Amino acid sequence: MTQSPTTSGNVPSTGTIQLAPSYALPIALVGIAIPLVWVQPWVAGIVAVFGLFLLFQTVTLRLLFTETALDVFRGETLIRRFPYQDWQNWQIFWSKVPILFYFKEVKSIHFLPILFDPKMLRSCLEQRCPRA
């Protein structure tokens, strides 16, 4: 995380912020799959594979909040840029146990599993892309 002056909490007011990964969702899915093996083995397999897929995504993807956009990186490669000026709305579903992040751009909508620090995600969104 880039060190810069802060405006609220511990979110820098300028510079680029890289969100820390959160392994809670993928580990929970794999954990749910274990006892599910005795009830529905094929469903347990699907849940476990999905949890492992999300674990891989958590390890390889990085979200960076820049001054002008949310950037998604895989390793050192920028795979997508979402300029804030195109955002119309955003929402983090299930605040107590955040598992899904939604945002709407002018021409598309996006749903992302919460694979990053949800508190920092919310802080960055409130600061960089405040809701009207």
Side-chain angles (χ1 to χ4, degrees), residues 12-16 65-69 84 128:
S13 61
T14 60
T16 298
F65 282 88
T66 68
E67 290 294 318
T68 59
Y84 305 133
R128 309 265 172 136

Side-chain angles (χ1 to χ4, degrees), residues 3 35 65 112:
Q3 297 296 322
F65 282 88
L112 303 169

